[in-house]
Amino acid sequence: VLTLILGIFILIGAVKMKQAKSYGLAMTACILAMIPCINCCILGLPFGIWGVVMLNKPEVKDAFGLPSRWDSET
């Protein structure tokens, strides 16, 4: 039952990531996807890593409406 709930949570996070909404939920879903006991590790690990790398890019953070760290230095 817990695996099903977490799987649905990961799916919702993936949809929010695609829509560029809720950065925190998208990042949490990527991290949960990498945990081997939750889902199929063969697919979850590479997609989770890819998601975390992509979410940390400045242009992606801008798409989510987050302030970049360079904005505060000017």
Side-chain angles (χ1 to χ4, degrees):
V1 174
L2 181 63
T3 304
L4 179 65
I5 293 170
L6 290 174
I8 292 170
F9 184 80
I10 292 169
L11 183 64
I12 292 169
V15 170
K16 293 295 183 181
M17 183 177 172
K18 185 177 182 215
Q19 297 172 346
K21 297 180 181 177
S22 186
Y23 181 84
L25 181 63
M27 183 64 83
T28 304
C30 289
I31 293 169
L32 284 176
M34 292 187 286
I35 299 173
C37 61
I38 292 176
N39 55 17
C40 179
C41 183
I42 294 172
L43 293 176
L45 187 60
F47 284 117
I49 292 170
W50 174 80
V52 170
V53 169
M54 291 295 119
L55 286 172
N56 282 315
K57 289 188 171 190
E59 59 266 21
V60 175
K61 288 183 178 182
D62 288 341
F64 276 92
L66 296 175
S68 72
R69 63 181 179 170
W70 308 114
D71 290 344
S72 62
E73 294 179 4
T74 58

